[in-house]
Amino acid sequence: ISDYSKLNKLITKNKDWALILKDPITPNAVRREGVDLFLADNPKLNPISKRFLEMLRDTRSVPLLPSLFDTFKVLADVFFQKVPITLVFNKEVPEGAIARLIKTVNAELPAGSKPEYAIKVDSSLLSGFRVLIGDQV
């Protein structure tokens, strides 16, 4: 999501990027250079995000970014309405510790998320806890 936010901010707030994406006569070499500069400026991008941008660049599909972001936002909004979160501890934990952990996890969720917490104890854990976010198939 943070990769999405960085790139979306760039293409919506930066006038040069907006022109590069919207102007049909912009040479592909210019679009390619723009993607390469973004990748160079963001070396910690998720490998999937990086490969996705490289694919768009290599297939001359960079102008599709705004519509792809619109679609992604719709899907993300639907997905993040309810977020099942399971906290699994190796033993019983005081309520205060659980409350602090929930506060920390909530701070990392996108705005508007509605987390649904389940608390479990799994004595097979040697120590500590696990945080499972989302559904598991």
Side-chain angles (χ1 to χ4, degrees), residues 4 8 13 20 51 67 92 107-108 114 117:
Y4 159 81
N8 193 41
K13 305 285 186 208
I20 286 170
R51 181 63 194 122
S67 62
E92 291 293 328
E108 296 299 319
K114 298 176 184 170
Y117 285 90

Side-chain angles (χ1 to χ4, degrees), residues 115-131:
E116 297 179 347
Y117 285 90
I119 312 298
K120 296 182 179 179
V121 174
D122 181 356
S123 58
S124 69
L125 288 176
L126 296 178
S127 67
F129 62 91
R130 284 187 300 178
V131 178

Side-chain angles (χ1 to χ4, degrees), residues 42-101:
N42 295 279
K44 294 184 179 181
L45 280 181
N46 178 305
I48 294 170
S49 299
K50 182 180 178 190
R51 181 63 194 122
F52 176 71
L53 288 172
E54 291 169 343
M55 181 195 68
L56 288 176
R57 176 197 64 199
D58 296 345
T59 60
R60 299 177 181 202
S61 301
V62 174
L64 296 175
L65 274 172
S67 62
L68 291 171
F69 281 133
D70 291 343
T71 302
F72 178 79
K73 181 166 179 7
V74 169
L75 293 173
D77 287 348
V78 169
F79 177 77
F80 286 113
Q81 287 304 306
K82 285 189 175 180
V83 182
I85 300 175
T86 304
L87 305 176
V88 184
F89 298 91
N90 68 326
K91 62 182 179 183
E92 291 293 328
V93 176
E95 285 295 323
I98 293 172
R100 286 191 304 276
L101 181 57

Side-chain angles (χ1 to χ4, degrees), residues 85 101-110 115 117:
I85 300 175
L101 181 57
I102 287 174
K103 183 178 178 182
T104 301
V105 172
N106 286 344
E108 296 299 319
L109 295 174
Y117 285 90

